[in-house]
Amino acid sequence: MFNLVKPYPSPLISNRGIDIDFPMLAGCLALLGLGLVMITSASSEVAAAQSGTPLYHMFRHLIYLAIGLGVAGVMMMVPIASWQRLGPWLLLSAFALLLAVLVPGLGREVNGSMRWIGFGAFNVQPSEIAKVFVVMFLSGYLIRRQHEVRESWMGFLKPLIVLLPMAFLLLMEPDFGATVVMMGAAGAMLFLGGVGLFRFLLLVAGAVLAVVLLVYAQPYRMARLVTFTDPWADQFGSGYQLTQALIAFGRGGWFGVGLGNSVQKQFYLPEAHTDFVFSVLAEELGVVGSLCTVALFVFVCIRGMYIGLWAERAKQYFSAYVAYGLSFLWIGQFLINIGVNVGLLPTKGLTLPFLSYGGSSLVICCACLGLLLRIEWESRTHLGSEEVEFQESDFAEEAYHGR
């Protein structure tokens, strides 16, 4: 891995100094800072009861944050072409990780789901890594088989033959939310790759049918769906989480009850600092704070899509597909988590990117940020374009073209 890292030239080290897409970096850092504040607030009561110190989860989150920013820095120094060459190996690694989590003794069960591999006091969630590796592999496939994807059924079906076993492994954990996000991002990438509208609509119809069958196949999923339609019918049973989240939104009003003054985080709302951190944010910061947070997410996701567009205009098509895929992963998780918090979707255990407590999710989000910053820099400097090959000496006199 270390021989893939080329410190110079890179967005962090160049003759212009640090050369990073500042709007994207600022938006993500704002979300990370807000996440740290909200996790400190939302977890204080639970942490004090479980560990004796109200700042326990904050300290752990700071460790994850430091690791994540370090990983982002490393990702900015790895040329995107290196990831393109490693695409098939990354896919195999994703399968290996998802298989390992199901092996007794390796996998660690939390709240009835086997989604983590334990390393002492820390857990690693392979599904977070697998989603990014799938984006890498599929981006390379869309480049290698572009004509086949657009013109033939086999070009359309081949990636699905690879992805369906991975979706099955995710459902074995079970991790229904990650499955939906991964397959949704893959479908969107295939559409952008030029899959015909008829074949794409068949894919959408098949995906909807699969979701319906999966819901009916497991009683707990069906119970969640029924509860989601009327959570107040069983507000102290299956509808408890959602009703407590809705109470948090109701208490928040326009401007919130004030930072740190949430009542719902005091053992009323389960998973207040992970899956339902947005509900605590809405209670403490109100509608105004919630909308500002949503606006930040919208900005970051749109900026990610624009980075893909800029790479496509620079004829760096692999980078473009990677940027689109990573943006779709963020969009999917954002929509599902917010939808669950406000009662528009059935309850799912899916974190909110950059904000929720969780080491794997936070580190992978930072890694994706590093990848996007690298893609933006390469597209702006034309490093890696089909028609341009640069040497390090070429960067001595390069002109700056900001966006």
Side-chain angles (χ1 to χ4, degrees):
M1 177 64 186
F2 291 105
N3 63 340
L4 300 177
V5 179
K6 298 180 179 179
Y8 182 86
S10 76
L12 295 177
I13 305 174
S14 71
N15 284 345
R16 291 198 299 265
I18 297 177
D19 185 16
I20 293 177
D21 179 23
F22 180 75
M24 183 65 167
L25 179 64
C28 290
L29 288 179
L31 287 173
L32 288 171
L34 179 61
L36 177 62
V37 171
M38 292 314 306
I39 286 166
T40 303
S41 174
S43 67
S44 58
E45 300 294 334
V46 174
Q50 294 179 348
S51 64
T53 171
L55 300 180
Y56 173 77
H57 289 106
M58 186 203 76
F59 290 137
R60 286 179 65 91
H61 192 76
L62 280 172
I63 295 173
Y64 297 142
L65 185 57
I67 295 173
L69 293 176
V71 170
V74 172
M75 300 299 280
M76 279 188 275
M77 293 189 289
V78 179
I80 300 300
S82 299
W83 298 112
Q84 186 173 1
R85 290 193 299 270
L86 290 173
W89 296 105
L90 295 176
L91 182 69
L92 291 175
S93 300
F95 272 108
L97 288 169
L98 293 179
L99 285 170
V101 78
L102 299 175
V103 176
L106 285 179
R108 181 174 289 181
E109 184 175 345
V110 179
N111 294 332
S113 296
M114 191 79 75
R115 301 179 186 175
W116 293 267
I117 297 176
F119 293 94
F122 297 93
N123 293 329
V124 175
Q125 191 170 359
S127 61
E128 295 289 340
I129 303 172
K131 287 184 292 187
V132 177
F133 284 179
V134 164
V135 167
M136 297 280 194
F137 167 78
L138 192 55
S139 298
Y141 175 83
L142 291 173
I143 298 299
R144 295 190 304 271
R145 305 289 184 179
Q146 186 179 62
H147 179 76
E148 191 176 349
V149 169
R150 294 180 177 181
E151 303 297 334
S152 73
W153 279 95
M154 281 308 297
F156 167 67
L157 293 174
K158 282 178 181 177
L160 298 182
I161 294 172
V162 174
L163 293 178
L164 287 177
M166 186 169 292
F168 176 76
L169 291 175
L170 286 171
L171 292 172
M172 288 286 290
E173 296 181 1
D175 195 344
F176 187 65
T179 307
V180 171
V181 170
M182 184 190 75
M183 297 303 290
M189 290 175 68
L190 286 171
F191 181 74
L192 291 179
V195 169
L197 184 60
F198 176 70
R199 290 194 290 274
F200 180 74
L201 291 177
L202 281 181
L203 174 63
V204 172
V208 172
L209 178 61
V211 169
V212 172
L213 292 176
L214 288 169
V215 168
Y216 277 95
Q218 293 291 339
Y220 78 91
R221 291 191 187 122
M222 192 63 194
R224 284 182 177 180
L225 184 62
V226 173
T227 301
F228 141 76
T229 58
D230 186 11
W232 301 102
D234 189 15
Q235 59 179 307
F236 297 110
S238 56
Y240 182 76
Q241 273 187 309
L242 182 52
T243 55
Q244 295 303 315
L246 294 177
I247 290 172
F249 277 93
R251 291 192 75 254
W254 284 102
F255 300 102
V257 297
L259 188 62
N261 294 327
S262 167
V263 172
Q264 294 305 102
K265 70 181 181 182
Q266 297 178 13
F267 308 101
Y268 291 103
L269 180 61
E271 310 296 337
H273 59 295
T274 55
D275 301 343
F276 285 89
V277 68
F278 189 75
S279 297
V280 178
L281 183 148
E283 183 182 2
E284 296 189 349
L285 303 183
V287 172
V288 174
S290 300
L291 291 179
C292 289
T293 303
V294 170
L296 266 177
F297 272 112
V298 171
F299 170 76
V300 166
C301 292
I302 291 177
R303 189 73 179 184
M305 297 294 287
Y306 266 104
I307 288 174
L309 178 63
W310 295 330
E312 191 172 353
R313 288 176 177 172
K315 299 187 177 181
Q316 299 173 2
Y317 299 112
F318 175 80
S319 297
Y321 285 127
V322 170
Y324 291 142
L326 297 180
S327 299
F328 285 131
L329 290 179
W330 285 354
I331 291 169
Q333 285 194 230
F334 164 69
L335 290 177
I336 292 176
N337 184 277
I338 299 293
V340 166
N341 274 256
V342 299
L344 293 177
L345 293 173
T347 303
K348 291 303 307 166
L350 206 61
T351 58
L352 187 60
F354 295 105
L355 255 71
S356 292
Y357 176 81
S360 297
S361 175
L362 185 65
V363 171
I364 292 301
C365 283
C366 290
C368 293
L369 170 61
L371 278 169
L372 288 170
L373 292 175
R374 175 78 192 197
I375 290 170
E376 188 277 336
W377 178 79
E378 286 193 6
S379 67
R380 178 156 42 85
T381 59
H382 297 281
L383 181 67
S385 296
E386 290 181 352
E387 300 173 354
V388 181
E389 291 186 5
F390 277 77
Q391 303 296 326
E392 291 186 7
S393 58
D394 295 324
F395 287 84
E397 302 296 332
E398 65 180 349
Y400 178 74
H401 300 285
R403 288 194 176 101

